[in-house]
Amino acid sequence: MSRRVAGWAAGAAAAVLVAAGGITYAVADSGDGTAAVKTPAADSADAGFARDMAVHHQQAVEMSYIVRDRTKDEDVRRLAYDIAQTQANQRGMLLGWLDLWGLPKVSADPPMTWMGMGGMVTPKDGSLMPGMATDTQLSKLRTLSGKQAEVFYLQLMTNHHKGGIHMAEGCVAKCTVGVEKRLAQGMVDAQQSELQVMAGMLKERGAEPLS
Amino acid sequence: MHSLEHGAVWVTYTDKASKADVEALAAKVKQTPYSLMSPYESQAAPLILSAWGHQVTVRSAKDPEVDKFFSDFVQGPQTPEPGASCTGGVMK
């Protein structure tokens, strides 16, 4: 190999090593969630939001399946389908992150302790967090049909979204894992938009949100 | 049994368990998705917690083993079918 080519080869190899080192350094240092992440603690906002929102989302999924069986109205059934799909997928993501972090799915502390609201809301009749429906309300939804079911679903989901948005805002403020913060912000944005859609659908049915 | 496959923790008790313990555990189960509770008179000890492939006898609702078992096994790595639903609760 001629000196010039050898020099070039050595320089290229060195450049690759430097680049690799540079990439490694950036990966170790970057806190934006696209690279190596320090595992959150069980009492962190990241873990708390993942636990609590997974539970919160599960109820939205259940409510949405219920109403799809209680009415033929295409608009409500489509909305319920979207909510069920989205929130079930998001719940899977949250639970998967807890698995990767090796953290439990439950906590001895009350929900939302991670955002300074532990114990502020007393769980009651299956409603464990703000905005969640009670078991009594879910049972009632199962007995309604047609427009009554649609209205009650929209009312329950409106409250559900309001509670969810508030919790997601807590993660936006306090979570440190970038991909989770972005998911929380996405929840805020999408659910605020859905609130408007649902307000319109309630009005079309001559109804209003629950007080 | 099916709930255990979905990652639930099942609390069982006999009439030898104290009312206070039963009530405290029932309250915990009511607030913990993927947990259930029911009487099981023929079991060997008053209070037993079960998960898929795991079981522990606890002395009372305040036994530290209770929180530990919940933490280790509610939707834990022992779950044969993660992601499946559970609408359990307290059965009388």
Side-chain angles (χ1 to χ4, degrees):
Chain A
M1 190 185 289
S2 76
R3 251 176 113 110
R4 193 147 43 101
V5 173
W8 175 88
V16 166
L17 283 175
V18 165
I23 289 168
T24 305
Y25 180 83
V27 160
D29 228 28
S30 139
D32 72 350
T34 56
V37 164
K38 235 170 52 172
T39 302
D43 62 357
S44 65
D46 304 281
F49 177 73
R51 290 191 303 267
D52 291 347
M53 193 53 90
V55 171
H56 202 266
H57 269 20
Q58 183 60 11
Q59 195 188 62
V61 173
E62 196 184 343
M63 279 203 280
S64 298
Y65 278 133
I66 293 171
V67 80
R68 279 179 58 87
D69 286 344
R70 303 306 309 169
T71 179
K72 292 186 166 54
D73 180 88
E74 283 185 18
D75 287 340
V76 170
R77 294 188 77 247
R78 186 183 312 114
L79 172 70
Y81 181 92
D82 282 343
I83 289 174
Q85 282 290 99
T86 302
Q87 296 206 17
N89 281 334
Q90 291 179 345
R91 175 183 143 84
M93 292 161 71
L94 296 169
L95 295 176
W97 294 335
L98 287 168
D99 281 336
L100 274 181
W101 295 333
L103 294 176
K105 306 295 186 327
V106 299
S107 170
D109 294 329
M112 299 166 75
T113 296
W114 56 273
M115 54 189 278
M117 292 187 57
M120 273 192 189
V121 172
T122 312
K124 196 183 68 152
D125 189 22
S127 171
L128 304 178
M129 281 172 247
M132 283 180 69
T134 62
D135 287 340
T136 304
Q137 287 172 320
L138 288 184
S139 297
K140 179 175 163 188
L141 183 62
R142 286 193 175 91
T143 66
L144 299 175
S145 294
K147 186 163 129 181
Q148 285 190 324
E150 296 157 32
V151 165
F152 197 46
Y153 171 78
L154 292 166
Q155 289 171 332
L156 292 178
M157 193 56 77
T158 293
N159 284 356
H160 204 271
H161 273 25
K162 286 179 178 165
I165 287 165
H166 176 240
M167 204 197 304
E169 284 171 339
C171 177
V172 171
K174 293 178 186 323
C175 288
T176 59
V177 176
V179 62
E180 188 172 10
K181 262 172 94 111
R182 284 194 293 280
L183 179 64
Q185 185 62 58
M187 290 178 192
V188 171
D189 297 339
Q191 292 194 20
Q192 274 175 344
S193 170
E194 281 170 359
L195 276 179
Q196 302 216 354
V197 168
M198 291 192 287
M201 290 170 84
L202 276 169
K203 222 164 160 185
E204 279 169 13
R205 289 157 178 75
E208 280 180 359
L210 297 170
S211 55
Chain B
M1 251 332 233
H2 193 59
S3 308
L4 299 190
E5 288 175 285
H6 292 184
V9 162
W10 191 9
V11 180
T12 48
Y13 60 97
T14 68
D15 60 8
K16 302 235 178 2
S18 82
K19 188 158 175 282
D21 282 336
V22 171
E23 278 172 10
L25 287 167
K28 189 177 177 69
V29 163
K30 280 203 185 91
Q31 294 176 49
T32 309
Y34 290 79
S35 71
L36 334 159
M37 182 163 174
S38 56
Y40 195 67
E41 282 309 322
S42 58
Q43 68 185 20
L47 294 168
I48 294 180
L49 272 51
S50 304
W52 185 266
H54 299 267
Q55 197 170 70
V56 73
T57 298
V58 297
R59 285 180 307 250
S60 73
K62 292 197 184 64
D63 189 335
E65 283 297 320
V66 173
D67 276 356
K68 182 171 189 317
F69 197 87
F70 270 66
S71 181
D72 287 344
F73 298 119
V74 170
Q75 295 182 275
Q78 86 292 349
T79 307
E81 197 180 10
S85 71
C86 177
T87 41
V90 178
M91 296 176 274
K92 294 272 143 65

